[in-house]
Amino acid sequence: HEDLCGNTTFDWNRTWYTANPDLTQCFQNTVLVWVPCIYLWLLAPFYCLHLYCHDHGRIHISCLCAAKMVRFCIIFGHFQCIILALCIIQLERIRGCRSSIFLFLFWVLAVVCSLVPLRAKIQLAMDEGIASDIVRYLAFFSYFTIQLAQLFLCCFADQPPEGNLVFNSLQNPCPVKDASFLSKILFWWFTGLVVKGYRTPLAAEDLWTLREEDTSYKIISELQEDWTAERAKLQKQEKALVSGVALGSRLPDQAQLLRKLQKKQSSGFFLLSTLARKFGPYFLTGTLCIIFHDAFMFAIPQVLSLLLGFMRDEDAPLWKGYFYATLMFLLSCLQSLFNHQYMYTCFTVGMRVKTAVMGLVYRKSLVINSAARRTCTVGEIVNLVSADTQKLMDFVVYFNAVWLAPIEIALCLFFLWQHLGPSALAGIATVILIFPLNGFIAKKRSRLQVRIQMKFMDGRIRLMNEILNGIKILKFYAWEKAFLEQVLGYREKELKALKKSQILYSISIASFNSSSFLIAFAMFGVYVMLDDRNVLDAQKVFVSMALINILKTPLSQLPFAISTTMQAMVSLRRLGKYLCSEELKVDNVSKAPLSSDVAIENGTFSWSAEGPPCLKRINIHVPRGSLVAVVGHVGSGKSSLLSAMLGETEKRSGRVTVKGSVAYVPQQAWIQNATVQDNIIFGREKLKTWYNRVLEACALLPDLDILPAGDATEIGEKGLNLSGGQKQRVSLARAVYRKADVYLLDDPLSAVDAHVGQHIFDKVIGPKGVLRDKTRILVTHGMSFLPQADLILVLVDGEITESGSYQELLSRHGAFADFIHTFASTERKESAIQRGKETLHSSGKLKTCKLVMAFGISSISLFFFFFIKLTYGLSIFNRGDTTNSNLQNMEPVSEADEEQVPEDLGKLTEVDKARTGRVKLEMYRKYFKTIGLAIIIPIVFLYAFQQGASLAYNYWLSMWADDPIVNGTQIDTNLKLTVFGALGFVQGQLYQTSLRSLQLHMDLLINVLRSPMSFFECTPSGNLLNRFAKEIDAIDCMVPDGLKMMLSYPFWFHSLLVSISKAGVLLFHCGPQSFYVATSCQLRRLEAVSRSPIYTHFNETVQGASVIRAFGEQSRFILQANKRVDFNQTSYFPRFVATRWLAVNLEFVGNGVVLAAAILSVMGKNTLSPGIVGLAVSHSLQVTGILSWIVRSWTDVENNIVSVERVNEYADTAKEASWSIEGSSLPQAWPHRGTIEFQDYGLQYRKGLELALKGITLNVQERDKVGIVGRTGAGKSSLALGIFRILEAAKGKIFIDGVNIADIGLHDLRSRITIIPQDPVLFSGSLRMNLDPFDTYTDEEVWSSLELAHLKNFVSNLPDKLNHECSEGGENLSLGQRQLVCLARALLRKTKILVLDEATAAVDLETDTLIQSTIRTQFEDCTVLTIAHRLNTIMDYTRVIVMDRGNISEMDSPANLIAQRGQFYRMCREAGLV
C-alpha cells in the first residue's frame, strides 16, 4: 500500500518472515506516532464528562502537578496532543482527581509505541555511529526519557483536595484514597497493614476508618427512600387485590395460599430491585473486568498453540519463541489483574449489601407491630442479619457465573472443535452427562440446606437464646438436661441434613475431579478411533488440555452459582417478608391539641388485625396534670390500655389523642447493658441537680452507695445483677428524668416493697411528688394509692366497667366498693399510720431513716449480691451503718470526684476479646481428635495416591504426544488409550468424607450449661450466641472444605514440581504467605469479636422496642447500630483486601514461572521434545491458580480454625460441681421430712474476700414456715444461694434431712427442692413443657396444679389447652399469668422444701390473697422459707430470721420478736404493722 511516505506502510516480509524483525520507517513515523494521540482525542470528551459529574474539590498545585506540566512543556512535537493533555491535567486538578487512569494508559501507549523507534535508533547508531545526526538522536532520546518520566509520575497520587475536610479529619483514613491507579490495581496500598500485622498482632485501633461510601449512614440514608417507595408499591398492589376480593366472592383457600406465596415472592423481588438500583452501577464495572479477564484467558491457549507450533518448526527464528513467551506472560498478568479487580468489586458490593440489609432489618425492628413481632423471635431476627446477609454476599460474588459460565463452556467447546474437529462433540456429550448430575446435586443440596438444615439451625439458635435468657431458672429447677436434649435433638437433625449435603458434595467433587479426564478421554478416544491418520501431537494434546482446564472452572462454578442464587432467593424472600411485615400505624395515636392530655373516644383495640379485640368501647378523657389509676384482675387489659395510648396495638375503631411528649415505664423493666447513669439519662444531657433529685425520689441513692462504682457501675444484660425492685426503680428514674408531659406507668410499684412503694408514690407519682404537674396514668394493684387518684378506671375483660374518683366509686356500692372493703383494710391502715408519722416528724432525718429501712427489706435478687461481692468484695458493707447517714443532706458528687472512679471498677461484662498470634497447633490436634485418626490417615493416603495417578496420566500424555509418526499414523494407539483411561479413572475416584463437629458443639453446650451463674453475668449472650451460630457453622462447613482443598493442593503442587523444576518459586511463594497468614488470621479474629456486639444490640433493641418508641429514641439507637456495624466492617474490609493482595502477588510469581518455563523451553528448543514443553508450559499455566489456592485454603483453614479456638475458650472457665454422683445412695423420696440444718455455715463470693455468711448455725424443723428479713446486704439471698448450691460453702455444712448437700449431685439437690423466683421466666414451647419439661407427671396432675394456681379457667378456654404455644419469653401471657405458671410449677413438683422470693409481686391483691392461701394450704406439710419483702405475708409464720451483715441477729416467732422490741420490731413499726 503506497501512502504519504511514498512506500509501503507495512511489510510482512520485513516484520514477520525474517530472523531480524523490524517495522517499516513509514509505519514508525505515522501509526506509532498517532495511535496515542487518537486514543487521547477519541476518549477525552467522555473522560471530561466523567470529571464534570464527579467533583471532589480543588487540588492545590503540588510539586507532582508542577513536574507533570513542566515536562509537558519541554516535549516538542504533537502540539495538539500536548495542549489537550495539559488541559486534562488542569481539569483533573480542579475536579479533585488525584490519580489518572486515563493519562496513565496514554503514557503507557506512548512509551510502548516509542520502543520500536528506540530500538531502530539504537541499531542505527550502532551501525553508523551517533555523530552522523547527533541533534536528532539527542532529541529522540530526550523525548523518550520525558515520556518515561511522565509515566513514572503518573504512578503516584496527588495530594488530597483542599475541600475534603472529612477525609483530612479522619484519625486513621483508609490509604486507598491516597493510592495511585497502579497501587490500586496491584493492591500495593495494603502492604503497610500486612507488614504491621507481621511485626505485631493487629489490634482494633490499627484498622483504618471506613471510607465514607462504605459507612452505614451513607448507604442506608440513600437506600431507605428507595425501599420505602418500593414498599408503598407493594402495599398498593396488595390493597388492589384485597379490594378486588371484597367486590367479588370469597376466595377459595388455594387462591388465598397462592396470594400469600406471590406476596412473599414479590417482596423478595422488590428488595432485590432496590439493592440492584443502589449497587448495580458499581457492580457492572466489576462485570466489565470479568469479561476482559475471560478474553485474556481464552487468548492464552491460542498463544500456547503458537508456541508449540514454533517448537515443532525447526526453521522458525528464535525471536518468535521469545515473543510468544512474553505475550503469554503479559496475557497471564492482565488476566490476573482483571480477575482480582472483579473480585474486589464483588466483595465491596457484598459488604455494602450486608450493611444495607442489616440497617433495614434494624430499622424495621423498631417499627414492626406486635402481631408481626410475635411471628418472628429474636433468634430468627438475629439469623436474618447473620446467615441471610451472608447468603446475599455469596450471591453477589457468584451471580455473574450464572450467565457467564455457559458462555465460557460454549467458547471452550468451539475452540476444541477447531483443534479436534467433530471429536469435540464427544466432549460436549460428556459435559451434557456431567452437567445435569451437578445441577441435580446442587438443587438437592440447596433444598437440604435451606429447608432442613437452616430450619433446624434456626430452632437451635432460638432455643439457645432462650436458655441463655432463662439460665437462672434452669439452674434452680435442674432443667439443664431437658433443654440440653432439646438442643441436641435439633443439632442431630441439622447434622443429618449436613451429612446428606456433604455426601452429595463429595459426589459432585468426584465428578468435578474426573470431569477434565472424562472430557479428554472421550475426545482423544473418538479422535484417534475415527481415523488412523488422526494423530495426537503436542499441539493438539496440550492446547486441548489447557482448554479443558479452563472448562473445569465454569463447570464447577455453575452448579455452585445456581445453588448460591437459589439460596439467595430464599434469603431475599425471608428478608422481604420481614421487611414488608405490618408496621405500627402512625395514625394510631394523633397528636392534635385538645383540652385534655390523653383522650380515647369509642376505642376498640386488638393485638392483631385478625385477632379478637383486647379492649372494647373505651372512652377516656384525662385532664392535664391529673393522676389516673387503672385497676383490674390479672389479664383484664390494663397493660393493653397503656399500649393503646402508645399506639402499640391495632386500632379497630375510635380515636386516640395524646398531647405532648410521653414517658413509659413497662411492667417488666427493660434495662440496657450499660451503666446505671446511662440507663437513667437515656441519651439526654446530664443535669446534675435534677439527676440527683430523681435518684433521691426513686429511692436509688442507697443502692448507689452499695454498687462498687456508684452510678458508673455497669448493669448486666437484662439487668442480671440488679434485683427486680432495683430494675423497676431504674426504669422509673429513666421516665422521671425525661421531664415528659404524659407518664404511662405500668405497675412500677409491684416489684418494690410496700414502704419503698409508698416513698416513691409520695415523692414521684402522688399529689406532692416531682410529677405532680404532669399527667400520670398508673396501672396498680396497691389499694393504698387509690384515694389520692383523681380518677380510677376499673377494667374487666377489656372494658371499663366503672370510672370515677375513689369516693364516687365507693358511694356507688358496686363491684369495686365490695373489693375495697374486703381487701384494702390492712393497706389503708398501713398507709395511714405511715402518713401520720411523716406529718409528725418534719425533720428530714427520720424520713430518710425510714426510706433506708424500707429499702433494707426491698427485693434484692440472689444474683445482685453475687455480683457485688464478686466484683468488689465484702468490704463495702463495713463502712458503717447506712441508716445513720442523712441522705437528704448528702453533698452531691463533684465532677472531679466523679472522674476519679477507676474505669474498670463498675465493669461487669467481659468484652469478647480477640486472641493474638498464630493459631496454636493444639487447636488442630483437638479438631483432628474429634474426627479420629481412623478417618484422617486413609484420606491423606488416598489424596497422595490420587495425585500420583494424576501426574502419571499427564506424563503418559506427553509421551504419547512425542511418539514418532510413521506413514501419517502412530503405533499402539489402542494400548496408549487404555493406559491413559486406566490412570485417569484412578485419579478421578477421590474419597470424600464428611468431617463433622458434633463433639465440639456438645462440648461447648455442656461447658456453657455447667458454668456457674457468675459466668452468665459477665458474658453477654451475644458472645455465646455467636459461638453457637457463626463459629459452629464455620466448623461444620468451612473447616472441612478448607482441609479438603489444603490436602489436595500440596500433592498437586509436588506433581507440578516434578513436571517443571522451580524450587526458587517456593521461596517467592512462602514470603507473601507468611506475611499474609499472620495478618489475615488476626483480622478474622477481630471481625468475629466485633460481630458479637451487633447481635447483642439487636437483641436488646428488639426486646425494648416499645420503650425506645415511647421515648422517641429511635434515631439514637439507629446511630448506635450503625456504629457497631461500621466497626465490624472496618475489620471485614481489610480481610478480603488481604486475600486480593496475596493473590495478585502470588499470581505474578506464578506468571513469572510461566515466562521462565516458556523461555527455558525456547532456549532448549534443540534438546527438548514438544511433548515435554507442552507438559511444562501447560502445568506452569496452572501454577498461578494453584499457588493462590494452596495459600488461600491454608489461610482459610487457619482463619476458620479460629472458630475451634473460640468454641474451645469456655472449656477452661470455672465449672459447677457435677450434676449427679454415680453410685449415690440417696433415697428416692429424699427429703421426706424437710428439715434443714446449718452447721457453722460460711459463704464466700470469691477466694480472698470476706465471708458473706459468717458461721450460721440454724435448725429448721419439718413443716416450719420461716420468714427471712433484713436490710440490703444482710445476707438473706446468700442463704438461698447456699441451699441451692449456686455458691459453694466456704466453711461449715448444710444438712437436709441429715444428708450433707455438698456430698450429692447438684441435680439431685435442686430437683428435690423448689423455688418460686421473683422473675417469672417461660420458654417458647407448649404450656405443658413449661410446667413439666421431663414429662414426669400425668395430665391430671398438671391440670390439678393449674387449678390450685387459679389458672385452670384461663387454660381451659385456650384453643390448644395444655398444648398452647407460649411465645419467646412467654410474651403472649401477661406478667401476672406467668407468675401463676411459676406457682403451678412449684405445686406440680410439691417438694418438701419451698423457697419463695417475692413470688406475688405482679398480681393483683385478690389473686395475691388466693395465692397466699394456696401456699398455706398446699404447702402446709412442707418447710417454707420466704425471703420477705412485704412483712404482712410472714406475720403468721413459725419463725422469723433477721439477718444483719452475714449473721443472724434475731430469730424467734414474730410475736416474740415484736415483744423483744429489737430490729424486727423497728421494721414492723415502720411498715405500720405494730
Side-chain angles (χ1 to χ4, degrees):
H1 304 287
E2 297 291 326
D3 62 5
L4 300 168
C5 314
N7 60 4
T8 53
T9 310
F10 194 81
D11 182 0
W12 281 105
N13 291 323
R14 188 176 170 184
T15 305
W16 192 252
Y17 303 111
T18 174
N20 187 18
D22 200 0
L23 291 165
T24 62
Q25 198 62 41
C26 183
F27 192 90
Q28 289 180 38
N29 293 338
T30 55
V31 177
L32 293 185
V33 169
W34 286 107
V35 162
C37 293
I38 291 165
Y39 159 81
L40 196 68
W41 279 99
L42 276 178
L43 298 182
F46 301 104
Y47 185 59
C48 292
L49 182 68
H50 167 77
L51 288 174
Y52 179 75
C53 296
H54 297 84
D55 186 9
H56 300 289
R58 183 185 287 262
I59 298 173
H60 279 303
I61 295 183
S62 60
C63 298
L64 184 69
C65 187
K68 284 180 187 175
M69 292 172 74
V70 167
R71 280 182 172 76
F72 253 124
C73 297
I74 295 171
I75 296 176
F76 35 85
H78 313 303
F79 183 70
Q80 301 91 329
C81 280
I82 292 160
I83 294 294
L84 179 58
L86 272 169
C87 292
I88 287 170
I89 287 178
Q90 272 303 319
L91 186 61
E92 283 177 344
R93 188 178 68 78
I94 292 164
R95 305 304 284 181
C97 175
R98 299 174 62 192
S99 176
S100 172
I101 177 176
F102 180 67
L103 286 179
F104 177 81
L105 292 176
F106 169 70
W107 289 117
V108 167
L109 212 54
V111 168
V112 169
C113 288
S114 297
L115 284 173
V116 177
L118 178 73
R119 176 183 168 276
K121 291 274 187 296
I122 292 168
Q123 190 72 46
L124 199 66
M126 285 168 72
D127 293 346
E128 298 176 7
I130 200 166
S132 60
D133 199 351
I134 192 162
V135 176
R136 191 179 287 275
Y137 280 123
L138 283 174
F140 181 80
F141 290 140
S142 306
Y143 173 68
F144 184 74
T145 309
I146 290 167
Q147 278 185 328
L148 275 177
Q150 282 288 13
L151 177 60
F152 178 72
L153 290 175
C154 271
C155 294
F156 299 95
D158 216 327
Q159 63 187 30
E162 55 191 33
N164 199 344
L165 295 172
V166 179
F167 181 75
N168 297 333
S169 65
L170 292 176
Q171 266 187 337
N172 191 6
C174 182
V176 73
K177 293 276 185 188
D178 283 322
S180 66
F181 161 70
L182 196 63
S183 177
K184 280 178 186 170
I185 61 169
L186 294 168
F187 300 98
W188 287 342
W189 57 271
F190 188 76
T191 309
L193 191 72
V194 177
V195 173
K196 196 175 197 175
Y198 180 69
R199 286 178 182 156
T200 54
L202 291 174
E205 49 276 11
D206 296 325
L207 302 178
W208 306 310
T209 316
L210 274 185
R211 298 175 295 177
E212 192 195 357
E213 59 267 32
D214 293 332
T215 57
S216 297
Y217 175 76
K218 180 81 176 161
I219 290 168
I220 299 163
S221 54
E222 293 170 8
L223 191 78
Q224 185 82 32
E225 291 173 27
D226 287 358
W227 174 243
T228 311
E230 287 292 340
R231 235 185 116 252
K233 262 192 226 170
L234 193 65
Q235 283 171 339
K236 211 173 178 183
Q237 283 182 13
E238 187 66 15
K239 273 180 189 167
L241 268 170
V242 170
S243 58
V245 172
L247 289 169
S249 60
R250 190 181 168 279
L251 274 178
D253 290 348
Q254 292 94 329
Q256 280 187 327
L257 198 71
L258 195 68
R259 237 182 61 211
K260 272 186 184 170
L261 200 70
Q262 279 176 337
K263 189 185 174 185
K264 255 194 200 174
Q265 299 273 12
S266 53
S267 61
F269 170 74
F270 276 118
L271 178 60
L272 182 63
S273 63
T274 309
L275 294 170
R277 267 202 304 279
K278 174 84 180 89
F279 307 113
Y282 183 60
F283 181 69
L284 285 174
T285 61
T287 307
L288 203 62
C289 287
I290 199 71
I291 291 168
F292 278 117
H293 160 268
D294 276 14
F296 295 128
M297 180 174 73
F298 280 109
I300 291 168
Q302 307 309 315
V303 179
L304 175 63
S305 175
L306 294 170
L307 179 66
L308 292 173
F310 157 82
M311 292 300 292
R312 207 176 50 202
D313 183 358
E314 292 171 11
D315 302 326
L318 271 182
W319 70 265
K320 281 190 182 179
Y322 293 126
F323 172 71
Y324 294 141
T326 311
L327 186 59
M328 203 180 286
F329 170 71
L330 287 173
L331 288 172
S332 298
C333 288
L334 287 169
Q335 180 192 346
S336 297
L337 289 179
F338 278 105
N339 182 36
H340 295 299
Q341 280 307 308
Y342 165 68
M343 295 304 279
Y344 173 75
T345 308
C346 283
F347 278 107
T348 306
V349 171
M351 179 179 83
R352 290 173 186 172
V353 165
K354 179 183 175 183
T355 300
V357 170
M358 277 183 163
L360 287 175
V361 170
Y362 185 80
R363 281 154 182 73
K364 184 71 181 185
S365 66
L366 286 170
V367 293
I368 192 168
N369 72 8
S370 54
R373 166 70 186 84
R374 279 173 186 176
T375 60
C376 47
T377 64
V378 180
E380 282 166 358
I381 294 169
V382 168
N383 235 351
L384 286 178
V385 295
S386 58
D388 289 308
T389 49
Q390 189 59 50
K391 297 275 186 294
L392 289 188
M393 286 166 80
D394 293 343
F395 168 68
V396 170
V397 176
Y398 291 102
F399 167 68
N400 275 326
V402 173
W403 64 271
L404 206 55
I407 296 171
E408 288 172 354
I409 291 166
L411 280 171
C412 278
L413 295 171
F414 167 73
F415 288 122
L416 283 168
W417 180 286
Q418 280 194 325
H419 280 275
L420 299 173
S423 310
L425 290 172
I428 297 171
T430 315
V431 169
I432 290 167
L433 283 172
I434 296 169
F435 197 67
L437 173 72
N438 278 352
F440 169 74
I441 290 169
K443 194 174 177 182
K444 197 99 173 123
R445 279 191 78 207
S446 162
R447 201 173 68 81
L448 269 171
Q449 195 173 1
V450 173
R451 293 193 189 165
I452 302 167
Q453 193 196 339
M454 288 300 281
K455 180 180 141 193
F456 295 133
M457 188 181 168
D458 273 358
R460 178 169 62 82
I461 300 303
R462 184 175 65 234
L463 189 59
M464 274 317 304
N465 189 37
E466 293 197 56
I467 287 172
L468 297 174
N469 290 342
I471 190 72
K472 187 159 70 173
I473 299 299
L474 254 64
K475 290 205 172 296
F476 275 137
Y477 287 120
W479 280 358
E480 292 102 324
K481 276 186 184 166
F483 282 85
L484 175 87
E485 279 164 21
Q486 279 191 47
V487 173
L488 291 179
Y490 275 119
R491 178 73 181 148
E492 217 166 284
K493 289 172 186 165
E494 184 188 345
L495 282 177
K496 226 180 217 171
L498 189 70
K499 189 179 179 183
K500 283 181 188 169
S501 176
Q502 284 281 358
I503 290 166
L504 289 170
Y505 181 59
S506 298
I507 298 166
S508 180
I509 288 281
S511 74
F512 168 64
N513 278 333
S514 51
S515 61
S516 56
F517 153 70
L518 288 171
I519 296 165
F521 182 66
M523 286 196 298
F524 295 159
V526 171
Y527 183 71
V528 295
M529 301 295 272
L530 274 176
D531 188 347
D532 286 346
R533 299 199 170 272
N534 283 350
V535 291
L536 280 177
D537 57 14
Q539 206 170 359
K540 282 192 172 65
V541 168
F542 290 106
V543 172
S544 299
M545 288 308 289
L547 285 165
I548 288 167
N549 282 329
I550 290 175
L551 183 63
K552 278 177 78 172
T553 307
L555 275 179
S556 66
Q557 273 187 353
L558 192 57
F560 188 70
I562 292 167
S563 159
T564 307
T565 305
M566 286 164 76
Q567 286 177 28
M569 289 305 139
V570 173
S571 290
L572 277 167
R573 277 202 293 277
R574 276 163 57 106
L575 285 161
K577 182 189 166 193
Y578 179 73
L579 293 172
C580 287
S581 53
E582 291 296 318
E583 293 181 4
L584 291 166
K585 296 188 178 77
V586 185
D587 61 352
N588 274 352
V589 177
S590 53
K591 296 280 180 186
L594 276 176
S595 54
S596 50
D597 263 14
V598 180
I600 300 178
E601 295 164 11
N602 219 5
T604 302
F605 306 92
S606 65
W607 283 108
S608 62
E610 292 84 28
C614 57
L615 295 167
K616 305 180 281 284
R617 296 183 283 281
I618 304 291
N619 283 291
I620 310 170
H621 285 273
V622 181
R624 170 173 285 190
S626 57
L627 170 59
V628 178
V630 181
V631 294
H633 292 289
V634 170
S636 59
K638 303 183 296 296
S639 298
S640 303
L641 182 66
L642 295 193
S643 295
M645 292 172 183
L646 287 168
E648 298 279 323
T649 53
E650 193 76 32
K651 185 175 70 176
R652 292 283 185 85
S653 64
R655 186 163 176 236
V656 184
T657 313
V658 176
K659 196 173 172 186
S661 58
V662 176
Y664 169 56
V665 181
Q667 190 172 12
Q668 246 185 326
W670 173 71
I671 303 290
Q672 275 188 281
N673 180 198
T675 63
V676 177
Q677 179 179 305
D678 290 343
N679 267 286
I680 293 171
I681 63 176
F682 205 51
R684 293 294 167 104
E685 196 184 338
K686 184 180 175 183
L687 306 166
K688 204 120 193 266
T689 319
W690 174 241
Y691 177 71
N692 288 334
R693 198 175 155 202
V694 170
L695 290 179
E696 197 277 328
C698 295
L700 278 167
L701 286 173
D703 301 76
L704 298 188
D705 284 348
I706 288 165
L707 292 171
D711 63 357
T713 303
E714 188 188 355
I715 304 175
E717 266 189 279
K718 304 191 186 72
L720 249 177
N721 50 321
L722 296 185
S723 71
Q726 286 165 324
K727 282 192 274 191
Q728 200 58 276
R729 277 174 288 147
V730 169
S731 179
L732 181 66
R734 177 198 294 147
V736 177
Y737 187 81
R738 184 50 62 124
K739 293 185 178 174
D741 301 315
V742 177
Y743 281 81
L744 304 179
L745 312 168
D746 194 352
D747 204 10
L749 306 176
S750 66
V752 298
D753 77 40
H755 329 96
V756 177
Q758 189 65 52
H759 166 90
I760 289 172
F761 187 81
D762 294 340
K763 292 287 181 106
V764 180
I765 303 164
K768 292 178 184 170
V770 289
L771 303 180
R772 57 185 170 273
D773 302 326
K774 310 286 186 182
T775 305
R776 294 139 293 156
I777 297 170
L778 170 72
V779 169
T780 184
H781 294 129
M783 296 298 140
S784 58
F785 312 129
L786 298 182
Q788 296 175 67
D790 302 312
L791 175 67
I792 297 168
L793 304 174
V794 183
L795 273 172
V796 177
D797 294 336
E799 289 193 54
I800 297 173
T801 54
E802 295 178 75
S803 68
S805 69
Y806 187 73
Q807 292 305 326
E808 282 171 19
L809 291 178
L810 281 182
S811 60
R812 284 183 202 156
H813 302 295
F816 177 78
D818 298 341
F819 180 67
I820 289 292
H821 292 312
T822 318
F823 291 105
S825 54
T826 50
E827 282 212 26
R828 279 214 309 282
K829 174 189 164 198
E830 190 181 311
S831 58
I833 292 168
Q834 199 147 330
R835 279 198 301 281
K837 279 185 187 172
E838 280 178 19
T839 47
L840 279 168
H841 304 277
S842 53
S843 73
K845 247 180 187 176
L846 185 74
K847 272 197 211 172
T848 310
C849 175
K850 278 176 63 234
L851 160 62
V852 177
M853 298 279 265
F855 179 77
I857 52 170
S858 86
S859 134
I860 292 280
S861 79
L862 310 177
F863 302 105
F864 173 50
F865 261 118
F866 191 90
F867 156 66
I868 292 170
K869 293 168 191 160
L870 195 73
T871 48
Y872 202 63
L874 217 100
S875 55
I876 53 170
F877 298 119
N878 298 336
R879 297 178 184 164
D881 196 342
T882 48
T883 355
N884 301 329
S885 65
N886 183 344
L887 292 182
Q888 289 188 335
N889 299 335
M890 270 176 74
E891 283 297 308
V893 186
S894 71
E895 294 293 338
D897 290 346
E898 264 190 0
E899 282 166 20
Q900 285 165 12
V901 174
E903 204 179 313
D904 58 345
L905 185 61
K907 205 92 186 101
L908 170 76
T909 312
E910 285 179 14
V911 179
D912 213 355
K913 292 187 187 75
R915 295 197 179 191
T916 53
R918 297 285 286 266
V919 179
K920 293 190 183 102
L921 276 171
E922 177 63 28
M923 288 305 123
Y924 290 99
R925 205 172 64 77
K926 184 170 177 64
Y927 181 74
F928 289 129
K929 200 174 163 190
T930 61
I931 296 161
L933 280 175
I935 293 175
I936 290 164
I937 291 167
I939 293 175
V940 174
F941 274 117
L942 282 161
Y943 269 104
F945 183 64
Q946 187 246 2
Q947 289 306 329
S950 176
L951 175 64
Y953 114 87
N954 277 304
Y955 189 66
W956 183 260
L957 263 182
S958 74
M959 283 169 62
W960 187 352
D962 284 338
D963 228 29
I965 298 164
V966 183
N967 297 328
T969 62
Q970 286 173 320
I971 54 165
D972 298 333
T973 308
N974 290 349
L975 174 69
K976 286 167 188 160
L977 188 63
T978 309
V979 173
F980 173 58
L983 288 169
F985 181 77
V986 169
Q987 73 92 35
Q989 300 314 302
L990 170 63
Y991 178 70
Q992 294 279 331
T993 185
S994 164
L995 309 173
R996 305 185 302 161
S997 51
L998 176 65
Q999 192 57 44
L1000 286 169
H1001 177 269
M1002 175 102 78
D1003 291 348
L1004 172 67
L1005 184 59
I1006 290 169
N1007 280 331
V1008 167
L1009 288 180
R1010 288 205 52 237
S1011 296
M1013 271 313 299
S1014 55
F1015 169 80
F1016 297 98
E1017 282 167 10
C1018 56
T1019 310
S1021 62
N1023 295 9
L1024 292 167
L1025 277 180
N1026 198 0
R1027 302 292 192 282
F1028 280 102
K1030 192 86 181 176
E1031 310 299 350
I1032 287 290
D1033 191 42
I1035 294 167
D1036 280 347
C1037 305
M1038 313 288 273
V1039 177
D1041 290 353
L1043 279 172
K1044 287 173 193 171
M1045 291 279 192
M1046 204 168 126
L1047 274 171
S1048 62
Y1049 284 116
F1051 293 120
W1052 200 348
F1053 192 63
H1054 286 112
S1055 70
L1056 289 177
L1057 284 175
V1058 175
S1059 315
I1060 34 177
S1061 177
K1062 50 176 185 299
V1065 177
L1066 279 172
L1067 297 173
F1068 283 116
H1069 143 246
C1070 290
Q1073 186 273 336
S1074 54
F1075 275 93
Y1076 168 74
V1077 174
T1079 305
S1080 175
C1081 222
Q1082 200 55 24
L1083 286 170
R1084 163 81 172 80
R1085 286 169 172 149
L1086 289 169
E1087 197 263 331
V1089 161
S1090 61
R1091 210 184 305 120
S1092 300
I1094 300 176
Y1095 302 151
T1096 306
H1097 185 65
F1098 260 81
N1099 218 324
E1100 205 168 65
T1101 305
V1102 172
Q1103 282 162 346
S1106 58
V1107 177
I1108 296 166
R1109 282 194 290 267
F1111 282 87
E1113 287 289 320
Q1114 294 97 316
S1115 54
R1116 182 168 68 87
F1117 274 80
I1118 284 168
L1119 273 175
Q1120 282 183 15
N1122 285 356
K1123 214 188 250 174
R1124 282 169 158 87
V1125 171
D1126 286 351
F1127 182 59
N1128 178 241
Q1129 300 291 39
T1130 52
S1131 47
Y1132 177 74
F1133 175 68
R1135 228 186 100 194
F1136 73 73
V1137 177
T1139 314
R1140 306 275 68 83
W1141 174 87
L1142 172 82
V1144 164
N1145 281 299
L1146 285 187
E1147 287 186 19
F1148 269 82
V1149 172
N1151 295 337
V1153 172
V1154 174
L1155 181 65
I1159 283 178
L1160 288 170
S1161 301
V1162 173
M1163 286 166 74
K1165 185 185 177 191
N1166 298 327
T1167 54
L1168 293 173
S1169 69
I1172 290 296
V1173 170
L1175 182 67
V1177 176
S1178 65
H1179 269 63
S1180 68
L1181 283 169
Q1182 291 178 56
V1183 169
T1184 313
I1186 290 167
L1187 279 178
S1188 299
W1189 270 112
I1190 290 173
V1191 179
R1192 213 172 304 164
S1193 50
W1194 178 354
T1195 313
D1196 279 348
V1197 169
E1198 187 142 336
N1199 277 344
N1200 288 306
I1201 215 86
V1202 170
S1203 294
V1204 177
E1205 180 182 68
R1206 281 166 65 77
V1207 161
N1208 203 44
E1209 261 172 37
Y1210 300 129
D1212 307 325
T1213 52
K1215 300 288 176 287
E1216 291 184 309
S1218 58
W1219 285 342
S1220 55
I1221 293 169
E1222 275 187 41
S1224 169
S1225 56
L1226 198 66
Q1228 191 62 41
W1230 180 90
H1232 51 276
R1233 296 202 314 279
T1235 62
I1236 307 170
E1237 185 188 349
F1238 289 81
Q1239 285 184 2
D1240 192 29
Y1241 182 76
L1243 186 117
Q1244 195 177 26
Y1245 282 84
R1246 202 174 58 209
K1247 278 183 183 170
L1249 294 182
E1250 204 178 329
L1251 294 177
L1253 290 176
K1254 303 165 188 169
I1256 301 287
T1257 301
L1258 162 69
N1259 258 316
V1260 179
Q1261 298 307 318
E1262 60 181 297
R1263 301 178 67 174
D1264 264 8
K1265 307 290 179 280
V1266 181
I1268 303 166
V1269 297
R1271 291 177 176 77
T1272 298
K1276 309 186 296 291
S1277 304
S1278 304
L1279 276 175
L1281 290 174
I1283 293 170
F1284 279 88
R1285 280 178 66 195
I1286 298 291
L1287 288 177
E1288 297 291 355
K1291 64 169 189 171
K1293 296 168 183 172
I1294 299 177
F1295 290 92
I1296 293 180
D1297 275 12
V1299 175
N1300 184 352
I1301 63 167
D1303 298 338
I1304 59 174
L1306 287 179
H1307 280 189
D1308 296 335
L1309 169 68
R1310 292 171 185 170
S1311 61
R1312 312 284 183 94
I1313 57 178
T1314 304
I1315 187 166
I1316 303 181
Q1318 187 172 8
D1319 293 329
V1321 175
L1322 268 72
F1323 301 94
S1324 65
S1326 69
L1327 193 59
R1328 198 189 193 300
M1329 187 280 291
N1330 271 289
L1331 292 165
D1332 174 26
F1334 290 100
D1335 274 336
T1336 319
Y1337 304 96
T1338 63
D1339 278 5
E1340 288 73 30
E1341 288 171 312
V1342 173
W1343 277 111
S1344 166
S1345 71
L1346 287 172
E1347 187 172 11
L1348 293 166
H1350 312 286
L1351 272 174
K1352 188 175 181 180
N1353 288 344
F1354 167 72
V1355 176
S1356 52
N1357 288 331
L1358 293 170
D1360 297 329
K1361 307 283 191 293
L1362 286 175
N1363 293 323
H1364 173 69
E1365 200 66 25
C1366 296
S1367 62
E1368 193 174 14
E1371 282 179 8
N1372 53 352
L1373 298 180
S1374 76
L1375 193 63
Q1377 284 164 339
R1378 277 178 262 167
Q1379 195 80 66
L1380 294 176
V1381 171
C1382 290
L1383 175 66
R1385 278 179 192 158
L1387 289 160
L1388 194 58
R1389 282 162 76 111
K1390 197 77 185 291
T1391 55
K1392 280 287 177 183
I1393 294 172
L1394 174 70
V1395 180
L1396 291 169
D1397 183 5
E1398 181 56 355
T1400 57
V1403 295
D1404 59 84
L1405 246 121
E1406 190 175 359
T1407 315
D1408 188 9
T1409 312
L1410 290 169
I1411 290 170
Q1412 293 297 342
S1413 69
T1414 303
I1415 289 169
R1416 283 180 179 85
T1417 54
Q1418 292 303 310
F1419 293 98
E1420 191 183 358
D1421 57 344
C1422 303
T1423 305
V1424 178
L1425 300 181
T1426 301
I1427 295 170
H1429 308 290
R1430 295 177 181 170
L1431 293 187
N1432 58 344
T1433 59
I1434 59 161
M1435 294 309 273
D1436 60 343
Y1437 274 28
T1438 327
R1439 261 191 300 177
V1440 169
I1441 296 171
V1442 182
M1443 297 292 297
D1444 187 29
R1445 295 186 187 175
N1447 295 304
I1448 295 175
S1449 65
E1450 295 176 13
M1451 179 169 62
D1452 211 329
S1453 66
N1456 290 352
L1457 287 178
I1458 289 168
Q1460 288 166 20
R1461 292 184 165 254
Q1463 217 172 331
F1464 184 67
Y1465 168 74
R1466 290 199 297 277
M1467 285 181 178
C1468 291
R1469 192 180 65 199
E1470 286 194 359
L1473 297 174
V1474 293

